[in-house]
Amino acid sequence: MTSTQTDLVARQLDAGIAAWATLAEQIAAPEMRSGVEAAGRVVVDALRAGGTLLVAGNGGSAAIASHVAAEFLGKCIQDRHPLPAISLAESHSSLTAIGNDYGFDQVFLRGVQAFGRPGDVLLAMSTSGTSPNVVAGLAEARRRGVATILMTGAKGAGQGDLADHLLVVPSNETPRIQEVHMLWAHAWCEAVDLAAQERP
């Protein structure tokens, strides 16, 4: 690696750390925490009542969707019984078939139609808050009585009408937005793991 490349890596690392230092203060603010906690309680309560968590997102958010679903199905920090969680972005065959036959805008809508029931939760992630397939999935979830959570970034701050719970990362940087989304989802999953250890 050349010295120029090393300098670039160092600068980007410093920039990321600086951005996180700022974000840490912002996302710890009481108003933001209360929104994240309220959405998390929706997830925990739905799973405890036998509901299913559906997770959707594109690109990096699709990877996060798979990660989140896997941790509820498996575990995050403590052994417990598996919980029903489905990443709607998981199957390449389904995504490409639906995209080819009906249009990419319907890939999450049809997933919600197939799996969504009252008492379930759709956790949708879109850094812009405007991804057409995410918007369509949220609308379908609401029609079906599925609770909805939208995690987004600063550009999606005006999308509160799309979901029951709108969680906005105060950043326009996609990597930072997705990192905070993962933090929030991890907190919820860790809470579920710890709650499973409690004895009545």
Side-chain angles (χ1 to χ4, degrees):
M1 183 177 289
T2 68
S3 60
T4 301
Q5 291 170 326
T6 301
D7 290 345
L8 282 172
V9 171
R11 284 203 302 271
Q12 288 310 112
L13 178 59
D14 289 343
I17 292 170
W20 254 106
T22 301
L23 275 173
E25 291 185 13
Q26 293 172 321
I27 65 177
E31 184 176 321
M32 181 164 288
R33 281 181 58 102
S34 66
V36 175
E37 290 168 7
R41 283 192 291 273
V42 169
V43 172
V44 173
D45 290 347
L47 290 170
R48 280 182 156 179
T52 298
L53 175 64
L54 309 176
V55 197
N58 295 296
S61 296
I64 295 173
S66 295
H67 185 137
V68 170
E71 290 195 332
F72 280 99
L73 187 61
K75 68 171 185 175
C76 188
I77 57 173
Q78 297 280 350
D79 286 331
R80 53 153 167 78
H81 63 282
L83 295 167
I86 301 168
S87 169
L88 300 180
E90 190 71 30
S91 170
H92 296 160
S93 296
S94 295
L95 289 176
T96 54
I98 294 168
N100 184 63
D101 294 344
Y102 301 99
F104 192 65
D105 290 0
Q106 292 198 33
V107 294
F108 299 137
L109 180 153
R110 291 186 72 83
V112 171
Q113 288 176 332
F115 300 112
R117 302 290 182 270
D120 294 342
V121 179
L122 172 63
L123 169 58
M125 290 170 282
S126 168
T127 57
S128 68
T130 59
S131 302
N133 55 7
V134 170
V135 171
L138 287 165
E140 183 63 24
R142 281 188 148 181
R143 281 193 290 271
R144 290 175 168 269
V146 174
T148 52
I149 301 168
L150 173 60
M151 290 184 179
T152 186
K155 291 178 182 176
Q159 300 293 74
D161 58 336
L162 293 181
D164 303 322
H165 299 269
L166 177 68
L167 305 180
V168 179
V169 180
S171 174
N172 288 312
E173 298 179 43
T174 296
R176 304 294 83 82
I177 295 166
Q178 292 173 337
E179 288 160 4
V180 175
H181 291 175
M182 194 70 258
L183 170 69
W184 289 339
H186 268 155
W188 300 344
C189 193
E190 289 169 17
V192 168
D193 285 9
L194 293 173
Q197 311 308 310
E198 297 176 356
R199 295 292 182 267

